[in-house]
Structure formats: C-alpha cells, structure tokens
Amino acid sequence: MDITFSPALHRQRHQFVIDFIKKNKPKKVVDLGCSECSLLKQLKFHCEIELLAGVDIDGAKVKKKMHGLAPMSTDYLQPRNDQLLVEMYQGSVTQRDARLRGFDLATSIELIEHLTLADVERFSEVVFGYMSPAAVIVSTPNYEFNPLFPRLTGFRHSDHKFEWTRAEFKSWALKVCVDHGYEVEFTGVGRAPPGQQERVGFCSQIGVFHRLGGREVCNVFCDDADNALSYTLLYSKNYPSLHDNNILRRVLATEVLYWAEQLRRRWVEEETGQGDDADTPAEGEGKECHRVSEQHLEMEEKQTAAAMKNLVEHQDVEDGELFWTEGQQESGRLRRCVSVPLSMLWSRCPKVGALSGSLGNLRRLLMDHPDVKLSQDGSAVLLNDQEQGITEEEEDRDNLEDSGFAEARRCSHSCEPEEDWDADALASGDK
Ligand code: SAH
C-alpha cells in the first residue's frame, strides 16, 4: 500500500520554512528554484519580511503565477507598518547575481536534485560562498525512504539527477560548512510509519545552515567588488506601507476622525444629557472602513475596546477640553462645530499616538489634509455639530428642490413603469 502524508508532503516542507521564519524573523528572504511561487505566496503574509525574492531558471513557470504576489485590497486598506518589496527573477542558481547578496534566509526546497553534480558544486559556491545568506534551508529527497513507495522505480521525478542517502547529504553539507564557514543541523519532514523512522529517516531530508558569526558578518565580507547581474528581473512590486507618507496621512486621518467622533459623541451626551441619536449609527455602523476581513474585525474590536477603556480612564488627564466653536457659514446658516483637541486624541487613542509618534508630527501630518478640518492654530480637530448645523443630505435636498430636479424625479417615478428585469425568472418560479 502506498504511503500517504497528512498534511501533504509539499505542504509540510513549506510549513517547515514558515515555522523557521516565525521563530527567526528574517527580513530578507529568497526562495531558490521557486517554481510557481507557491511558498512565496505564503511568506508575503509574514509582516517581518521586508524583501521577498524568488528565482527560477524557468521564467515561464514564474510568470504563470507571479501576479498572485501582488498586494490585495486588504493590503491597501490595512497597510503594513514596514515596507515589503517583492522581486522575481529568471536565472540559474549556478550563476552569481549581486542582487541576491546580503539576505537573512535563502530556501532551496527540492531543488538540488534537479542539478547535475557539477552544478551542485557551483550551487554551493554561489549560494554559500557568494550570496552568503545568514541562514539556508536545503531540502532534498531521502533515497533511503524510497523502498516505502512499492511502485516506485528509479527516482521520484523524471528530472531528478540523483537522490541522496542521509550519509551522502550529510557529507555534502559538512563540506559546504567547512568551505564557506557555516554550521548545519539535520532534520526532515514526512515521517516514516511507526517503528521505521530510525531505519529510513524522513521522506524529505532537510539541512538548516547558519553562517558562523551570525547575520552581521556579511557586512564585513560583502564587498561590492563582484557586481555580477546575470538574472532577469521579471516582477517587482512595492507593498503599501506606513513608510509612504501619503498612506500614513490617509490612515492617520481615518483614525483621527473616527476617534474624534467618539469623543464628540461622548461629550455631547454629557453636555446635553442625551445622545445625538439623529445620526448615531446602529451598533457597529460607522466603523465600516475598519471592516476588512474577519481577522481584522476581531483585531479591530479588541483595539477598539482597549482604546475605549483608555478614553474613559484618562478623562482627568490634562490634555485640553472639548468645546463648541463657531464653524463656517454655509447655505446662509452658521454651522456650529465641536473642537476636539489634538493633544487629547494623541494621548488617549493609542493608535493615533503610535502612528504619529509625537504631537507635533500629528499636527504636521493632518495639516492640509482634505478630510480633516483643523482649528486656526492647528491645535484641534473641528467636527460639525450635526444637531445644530445643516447636514450635507439636507443641503443636497435643498439644492435639488431649488433646481426643480426633485419634482421631475418624482414625476418620472410615478409616470414610468419600473422595468422588471427578473420577470422571466419570476414567471418560471426560478428565483
Ligand atoms: N521549490 C519549489 C519547486 C521545486 S521543483 C517547491 O517547493 O515547490 C524545482 C525547481 O527548480 C523547478 O521549478 C526548476 O525550474 C527549478 N530549477 C532547476 N534548475 C535550476 C537552476 N539551475 N536555477 C534555478 N532554478 C532551477
């Protein structure tokens, strides 16, 4: 009976890399022999990674799926704190390219067995000697496991040039360590059935290499003398992040307006002894921009609860007060505003504080933002007082009535029969 793995073996190999990344938090990661980018697609969700690269000799394979590495709408709505650059190359791991130097981690998952032994030597020199990443994960089939696949004749894949026993893999790995200054640990994924693990080992054997002297050493030895550029860049994408000032301003403005509104409501309730229900959103409404995915929702709810607690607990702290102020003249009526001090937002709303860093920065970032109205001295956010002022909907309605459009629209509604797009479906009873 054929042996099966759960989860599938390729998933176990990728999970091994993910677990390593979670533990070691490398910032620059390159996947050698990345094929259709399936490992990279999972790695882009790891926030510590700032540079994610992939290289494969087969450019067509990379091109087929590389667009799946593009940012998703959630990446724009909830930008990362740190930058992420994704770069995909067509090239051979037997050739040098200066753009792949100085990485924290290089992964080579089921790649070396596709190389001739002469090319494995070049691979060792290029990857360990030239690219010289702080850590390297190499996985390759373990030949000793093969008898557990009764129908297997020859190697596991027609393109494999060899499959090594544990001793062969170990001898290659130890030589690499001596030649290039690394140490290695051996492990694997895909366990053998009970009682056979020690005899046959893992289905995929893995060597985890660490450069002696750690991450820093590369800066000493990585001189710019050899600036070979032999790879072709196929894809390059910068993810939206708070490092981009425009994105930071947009996120900060959303956050400030949300929390200023919370403070305004709370204060109006206290001042007037009643809530301004007229425009009080139903439970959870008004935070729509925060609702991105289930996961984000949960995170937002926790943050919101913590920030709300913060708003209440810090009420006696000296950080200014809310007050009514005169707003602008609009449509013949004076719109009254509530002034919410920036100092209060900065000290009481943890995310606003974290995003801006200082009160001065907060003011600078909000200045001239089209959605945020600041007081003349720039010390407070001005929010329209909904009860006293004329709302935008009211204003739109007034304007429409004035223009006669509403009349015409009422007529068109009552005169023309509405088109029934679903008539056929209704007739056939098929909804
Ligand atoms: N690492 C992937 C795929 C492994 S298959 C995974 O985990 O699923 C091996 C891949 O190595 C293939 O995509 C093949 O095109 C690539 N490859 C073979 N020789 C190569 C070389 N000299 N340089 C770079 N990539 C190579």
Side-chain angles (χ1 to χ4, degrees):
M1 202 181 72
D2 265 357
I3 195 163
T4 54
F5 295 101
S6 178
L9 194 59
H10 70 277
R11 282 191 203 287
Q12 290 193 35
R13 286 192 292 259
H14 291 177
Q15 191 57 47
F16 183 90
V17 173
I18 291 166
D19 291 342
F20 180 93
I21 286 175
K22 280 188 187 156
K23 192 164 160 231
N24 293 277
K25 307 195 185 318
K27 286 188 188 308
K28 298 179 177 186
V29 179
V30 58
D31 187 25
L32 309 170
C34 62
S35 188
E36 295 182 0
C37 319
S38 64
L39 176 58
L40 294 168
K41 270 187 221 156
Q42 298 174 68
L43 298 189
K44 73 173 191 162
F45 295 107
H46 292 268
C47 298
E48 294 85 15
I49 299 180
E50 294 179 10
L51 175 57
L52 194 55
V55 57
D56 200 289
I57 199 167
D58 187 340
K61 269 191 195 166
V62 177
K63 282 183 190 163
K64 205 162 130 191
K65 295 282 174 70
M66 66 188 183
H67 294 287
L69 292 166
M72 300 185 291
S73 47
T74 48
D75 293 309
Y76 289 97
L77 291 167
Q78 296 267 339
R80 303 161 48 101
N81 285 341
D82 296 312
Q83 25 202 345
L84 169 61
L85 172 63
V86 178
E87 290 195 328
M88 302 302 300
Y89 296 96
Q90 188 267 317
S92 172
V93 288
T94 57
Q95 291 187 318
R96 297 171 168 213
D97 190 293
R99 289 166 292 188
L100 293 196
R101 300 183 93 183
F103 275 70
D104 300 312
L105 172 65
T107 55
S108 163
I109 306 301
E110 305 296 279
L111 163 65
I112 58 171
E113 63 279 8
H114 292 266
L115 308 177
T116 61
L117 288 175
D119 276 347
V120 173
E121 285 307 303
R122 290 187 192 101
F123 167 91
S124 311
E125 196 280 321
V126 168
V127 175
F128 293 91
Y130 177 76
M131 286 170 53
S132 195
V136 186
I137 298 177
V138 178
S139 91
T140 189
N142 166 20
Y143 186 71
E144 292 166 87
F145 198 97
N146 286 0
L148 296 185
F149 298 112
R151 287 182 292 147
L152 180 69
T153 52
F155 294 142
R156 296 182 196 175
H157 190 280
S158 57
D159 187 51
H160 285 181
K161 309 297 187 295
F162 61 85
E163 283 174 2
W164 279 338
T165 62
R166 282 172 288 178
E168 287 169 321
F169 182 49
K170 192 170 177 183
S171 131
W172 167 78
L174 291 178
K175 182 167 183 305
V176 161
C177 289
V178 171
D179 289 352
H180 302 291
Y182 279 79
E183 59 189 2
V184 62
E185 284 164 38
F186 298 98
T187 176
V189 293
R191 286 195 154 271
Q196 302 191 55
Q197 180 66 28
E198 205 163 311
R199 186 173 57 81
V200 300
F202 288 100
C203 187
S204 282
Q205 49 185 336
I206 295 178
V208 181
F209 299 79
H210 288 277
R211 197 178 54 229
L212 296 173
R215 289 186 187 184
E216 296 73 32
V217 174
C218 185
N219 298 330
V220 181
F221 292 115
C222 278
D223 57 55
D224 290 336
D226 189 347
N227 272 332
L229 297 178
S230 61
Y231 297 173
T232 306
L233 181 66
L234 300 176
Y235 181 85
S236 173
K237 190 80 196 170
N238 249 314
Y239 269 57
S241 84
L242 298 176
H243 279 251
D244 177 331
N245 222 33
N246 287 334
I247 292 175
L248 175 61
R249 286 182 77 218
R250 173 173 61 75
V251 172
L252 189 61
T254 308
E255 206 64 32
V256 160
L257 289 174
Y258 174 73
W259 289 111
E261 180 58 18
Q262 299 302 317
L263 288 164
R264 185 193 72 85
R265 274 174 209 284
R266 188 175 294 270
W267 181 75
V268 168
E269 267 172 39
E270 278 165 15
E271 286 291 294
T272 61
Q274 60 188 27
D276 53 352
D277 284 343
D279 64 330
T280 301
E283 185 84 355
E285 222 183 283
K287 287 191 274 176
E288 284 308 318
C289 58
H290 291 252
R291 301 201 160 178
V292 177
S293 66
E294 288 291 318
Q295 199 186 358
H296 281 134
L297 179 61
E298 203 177 303
M299 200 174 74
E300 284 293 333
E301 273 171 0
K302 278 190 196 142
Q303 285 175 356
T304 305
M308 277 296 186
K309 194 161 164 267
N310 205 34
L311 287 183
V312 176
E313 280 174 0
H314 288 74
Q315 267 178 359
D316 43 348
V317 173
E318 260 317 305
D319 51 14
E321 282 181 350
L322 279 78
F323 56 86
W324 304 114
T325 178
E326 265 185 18
Q328 290 155 334
Q329 188 89 11
E330 277 177 35
S331 307
R333 283 194 245 177
L334 193 63
R335 200 187 271 240
R336 196 163 67 157
C337 283
V338 176
S339 165
V340 183
L342 281 189
S343 52
M344 185 182 278
L345 286 160
W346 190 79
S347 64
R348 292 193 195 174
C349 312
K351 200 166 167 190
V352 171
L355 285 167
S356 55
S358 73
L359 188 54
N361 265 349
L362 177 62
R363 191 170 302 152
R364 260 191 302 282
L365 287 161
L366 294 179
M367 212 161 313
D368 302 326
H369 191 287
D371 299 337
V372 181
K373 197 158 61 169
L374 289 186
S375 59
Q376 260 187 349
D377 64 357
S379 68
V381 177
L382 302 181
L383 295 177
N384 287 329
D385 174 32
Q386 311 286 340
E387 282 179 323
Q388 300 297 317
I390 180 172
T391 66
E392 273 177 24
E393 283 124 280
E394 277 173 336
E395 201 174 308
D396 285 345
R397 210 175 45 226
D398 288 353
N399 290 340
L400 285 173
E401 307 270 351
D402 287 351
S403 70
F405 173 78
E407 251 339 282
R409 204 174 51 156
R410 266 198 291 279
C411 177
S412 83
H413 265 270
S414 57
C415 302
E416 284 174 28
E418 278 189 23
E419 210 164 341
D420 184 1
W421 294 101
D422 263 349
D424 286 345
L426 286 170
S428 67
D430 175 16
K431 295 181 193 174

